[in-house]
């Protein structure tokens, strides 16, 4: 069961507003977006897209499809991470990749001030909106089950910090294994969330606000 907040306003109301809003206008030139669906590149990458279910921090679905995309080079790098981890008995389990901008706005508007550091400000956009951030963990290849980490996914407490010193030694070791494998392929963890990694080239890509169902099959 995912960590839950009490949304500041009904999510349905926030969704209507967010869908009407416009992403920030950005100066400069960007690469043409080319989102790749992760399971199409590597079917051994598992999905647990909680935002497509009620099992997420808002307690209600924000996606209508359980899919995960990243910009091409980030997706290819993730396939390498998954491959390297296989030799150590683990696979990647993805909670989220590309996230339409309006969903970032729903998260921000729903989240109380004392937990806002765990969600990106839509005024700047999230690296997820650029197809260059991924929320993920490890699964055990023998059992197929997601492993225990020092906190649950989207747990908005100190336990989520990438350097949180608590939890068991095994949990910390798995968190370190994930981080090392990701860093070797150009991803960087954010200090407040052990599960969130930004791809090094995120600045090259624009903010996108397209729903999964409009990305095609
Ligand atoms: C909401 C959480 N899973 C997340 O992705 N947080 C970062 C800061 C973001 O919204 O970009
Ligand atoms: Zn994230």
């Amino acid at each position: 069961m995912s960590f839950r907040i009490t949304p500041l306003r009904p999510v349905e109301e926030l969704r209507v507003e967010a869908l009407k809003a416009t992403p920030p206008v950005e100066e400069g030139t960007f690469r043409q977006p080319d989102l790749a669906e992760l399971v199409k590149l590597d079917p051994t990458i598992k999905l647990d897209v909680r935002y497509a279910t009620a099992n997420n921090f808002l307690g209600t679905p924000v996606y209508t499809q359980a899919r995960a995309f990243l910009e091409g080079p980030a997706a290819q790098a993730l396939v390498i991470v998954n491959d390297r981890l296989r030799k150590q008995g683990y696979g990647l389990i993805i909670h989220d990749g590309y996230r339409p901008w309006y969903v970032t706005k729903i998260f921000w508007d729903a989240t109380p001030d004392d937990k806002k550091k765990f969600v990106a400000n839509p005024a700047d956009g999230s690296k997820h909106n650029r197809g260059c951030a991924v929320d993920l963990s490890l699964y055990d290849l023998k059992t197929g089950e997601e492993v225990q980490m020092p906190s649950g996914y989207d747990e908005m407490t100190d336990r989520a910090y990438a350097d949180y010193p608590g939890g068991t030694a095994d949990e910390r070791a798995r968190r370190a294994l994930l981080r090392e494998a990701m860093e070797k392929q150009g991803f960087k963890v954010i200090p407040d969330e052990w599960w969130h990694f930004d791809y090094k080239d995120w600045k090259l890509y624009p903010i996108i606000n397209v729903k999964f169902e409009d990305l095609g099959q």
Side-chain angles (χ1 to χ4, degrees), residues 20-100:
K20 285 189 199 147
T22 347
V25 177
E26 299 189 282
E27 301 296 328
T29 50
F30 295 98
R31 282 192 185 161
Q32 184 65 30
D34 184 21
L35 293 168
E37 189 155 9
L38 300 178
V39 293
K40 289 194 178 149
L41 295 183
D42 182 347
T44 71
I45 292 179
K46 265 194 182 218
L47 294 186
D48 176 18
V49 184
R50 299 189 191 178
Y51 298 148
T53 73
N55 183 25
N56 65 53
F57 74 99
L58 295 177
T60 190
V62 287
Y63 294 158
T64 54
Q65 297 183 345
R67 299 171 76 187
F69 304 82
L70 285 178
E71 289 294 352
Q76 296 291 351
L78 204 71
V79 168
I80 298 175
V81 176
N82 190 48
D83 196 52
R84 300 278 153 87
L85 285 167
R86 187 173 298 127
K87 288 156 195 122
Q88 305 189 59
Y90 295 103
L92 292 177
I93 182 160
I94 310 297
H95 294 305
D96 199 26
Y98 160 66
R99 180 184 304 158

Side-chain angles (χ1 to χ4, degrees), residues 99 128 135 193 196:
R99 180 184 304 158
H128 284 285
D135 293 344
E193 302 175 12
H196 174 115

Side-chain angles (χ1 to χ4, degrees), residues 122-139:
D124 309 314
S126 162
K127 277 103 183 166
H128 284 285
N129 307 149
R130 301 176 193 274
C132 286
V134 60
D135 293 344
L136 80 179
S137 188
L138 300 173
Y139 73 92

